[in-house]
Amino acid sequence: MKVLLADDDNMIRLYFTRYLEKKNFEVKAFSTGKEAWEELQKNYYPLVILDWNMPDMTGDEVCERLKQRVSPDFQYVIIITSRSDETDVVDGLNKGADDYITKPVIAAELEARLNAAERVINYELQLRQKEKEVRLACYKTLTELAETRDHESADHMSRVGKLCGLLSRQMGLDEKFCEDLEIFAPMHDIGKVGIPDGILHVPRSLWNQEYEVVKLHTTIGWQILKGKPAFELASLIAYTHHEHWDGTGYPRHLKGEQIPVCGRICAVADCYDSLRSIKSYGTAHTHKQAIEWISMRSGTLFDPEVVTAMKVVSRRMEKLFNDTYVSTLSNHP
């Protein structure tokens, strides 16, 4: 387990570091509160041990900032203090500390406090993992609901999510964003639940009036998902994945970087998978044909940066499609 330790007393810092490392903790130590706070903004540590009195920023100030920060990660904070006054201890706990250790530090007490911290951290992480699994199951259910409206190809929506993950990581985007994009991109066509079957499943190319109705799925999807904090990214994807880099897309004719990057990435992933899939009114493109078709429209329909990323990971995209694609036309004549 990773531990951040901050104490301006070199002897205390060395004592804690050696003790924690013997217990197989991975320790990163700092001598000031400011250094500790800067590190905590960049990296995650389940266990944080802070001396109360430190230069630049005190331990209780670091703790208060840490606990006020909006973060999905759980962190257990122990304050080290020479203050034994009950009022001081309560003040530290009120600022968010989960426990405290008084100086001079006794080895047996330190071990007991650390064991308690480990139990709480492990239990909290298990709860959060379970909560995450429940959320993902709910997201998957929503995706499968929308996918029941598409009789062309099994797993199109979930595959688009995986393709978005490939593209966004190749572009060097933040890993949290890449993970969220892979989770929520499968909801890009959720608005199709509001399109009549007689138009959505017509076995031919659409007439102009029919196409205008189908285009409404972007706005319908956005209306279904908007205003719900957990689905903010999903609503953006649903709303913008048919916008074009040159402004000729829909529904709002956004242009260039006016289009959120999630929509730009999903546009390429969705197009690739659609081109590769067998249609009731036509044949599928080969991998090479799909890549060439998208590449020729770089700078017009698609963001050139996303197209460049697509070319780099194109073989992985091909493998992902070939490993997961199953035509369902035989089941839906």
Side-chain angles (χ1 to χ4, degrees):
M1 182 183 295
K2 291 176 65 177
V3 179
L4 181 141
L5 168 66
D7 197 308
D8 62 331
D9 186 316
N10 186 55
M11 293 300 295
I12 292 288
R13 196 166 61 251
L14 183 61
Y15 172 77
F16 266 82
T17 298
R18 287 179 175 175
Y19 186 90
L20 288 163
E21 287 178 343
K22 286 181 180 178
K23 299 292 182 180
N24 296 317
F25 288 96
E26 182 184 340
V27 184
K28 192 160 187 179
F30 297 90
S31 60
T32 70
K34 183 179 178 181
E35 291 174 342
W37 174 241
E38 289 173 352
E39 174 66 16
L40 287 166
Q41 291 181 88
K42 294 182 291 186
N43 296 301
Y44 170 60
Y45 294 84
L47 178 58
V48 179
I49 303 175
L50 304 167
D51 183 29
W52 188 302
N53 293 312
M54 288 187 290
D56 300 323
M57 190 182 299
T58 62
D60 62 315
E61 288 175 330
V62 176
C63 176
E64 189 171 27
R65 290 191 184 190
L66 187 62
K67 294 295 184 174
Q68 288 176 347
R69 184 177 62 178
V70 177
S71 171
D73 299 317
F74 175 75
Q75 290 175 296
Y76 192 95
V77 179
I78 298 176
I79 294 286
I80 309 170
T81 178
S82 58
R83 306 182 182 194
S84 57
D85 185 88
E86 184 178 314
T87 303
D88 292 330
V89 170
V90 170
D91 183 50
L93 294 174
N94 283 339
K95 288 183 177 178
D98 298 287
D99 200 356
Y100 67 94
I101 298 174
T102 55
K103 298 178 182 178
V105 179
I106 301 171
E109 181 186 1
L110 175 58
E111 183 169 6
R113 301 282 189 183
L114 290 175
N115 288 339
E118 277 197 286
R119 288 196 299 272
V120 172
I121 291 168
N122 289 334
Y123 180 66
E124 184 67 27
L125 292 178
Q126 287 173 13
L127 286 178
R128 293 186 179 218
Q129 179 60 32
K130 185 65 176 177
E131 180 186 353
K132 180 180 179 181
E133 290 171 1
V134 171
R135 285 202 317 271
L136 291 177
C138 291
Y139 301 156
K140 190 172 186 293
T141 299
L142 280 174
T143 299
E144 289 172 347
L145 170 65
E147 200 157 40
T148 61
R149 306 300 314 285
D150 184 358
H151 292 171
E152 302 293 344
S153 165
D155 296 324
H156 163 71
M157 293 187 179
S158 58
R159 195 161 50 243
V160 167
K162 292 182 175 66
L163 291 170
C164 283
L166 279 177
L167 292 168
S168 57
R169 288 183 176 91
Q170 178 56 40
M171 292 169 66
L173 300 178
D174 176 75
E175 179 58 27
K176 177 65 167 57
F177 175 82
C178 296
E179 290 176 1
D180 288 346
L181 185 60
E182 191 166 334
I183 290 170
F184 292 113
M187 298 184 192
H188 66 283
D189 277 343
I190 198 170
K192 285 185 177 179
V193 298
I195 305 301
D197 285 353
I199 293 177
L200 192 61
H201 300 145
V202 63
R204 54 168 170 75
S205 297
L206 295 172
W207 298 333
N208 288 339
Q209 288 181 326
E210 292 170 335
Y211 183 52
E212 290 303 315
V213 174
V214 169
K215 286 163 65 174
L216 293 174
H217 80 277
T218 55
T219 304
I220 294 171
W222 174 69
Q223 290 172 337
I224 291 171
L225 299 166
K226 72 174 182 177
K228 304 171 181 67
F231 293 101
E232 182 179 355
L233 182 60
S235 67
L236 273 179
I237 295 168
Y239 206 18
T240 63
H241 72 284
H242 280 297
E243 298 286 0
H244 293 165
W245 186 253
D246 62 4
T248 61
Y250 63 87
R252 292 184 292 163
H253 306 292
L254 300 180
K255 184 177 183 179
E257 293 187 0
Q258 291 177 336
I259 309 167
V261 68
C262 59
R264 287 180 258 153
I265 293 171
C266 188
V268 171
D270 184 33
C271 183
Y272 172 82
D273 196 81
S274 295
L275 289 171
R276 296 294 320 276
S277 303
I278 297 173
K279 305 296 181 183
S280 58
Y281 51 85
T283 58
H285 286 58
T286 65
H287 169 74
K288 182 179 179 182
Q289 288 171 335
I291 295 296
E292 288 177 350
W293 194 96
I294 295 171
S295 298
M296 288 175 61
R297 290 157 179 81
S298 176
T300 53
L301 303 189
F302 305 110
D303 178 352
E305 185 181 359
V306 182
V307 175
T308 298
M310 176 198 70
K311 292 177 181 178
V312 176
V313 298
S314 66
R315 290 302 173 194
R316 293 165 66 189
M317 292 172 67
E318 180 182 24
K319 184 178 187 305
L320 190 157
F321 182 88
N322 290 341
D323 288 348
T324 59
Y325 177 75
V326 179
S327 173
T328 58
L329 287 177
S330 58
N331 298 326
H332 299 281

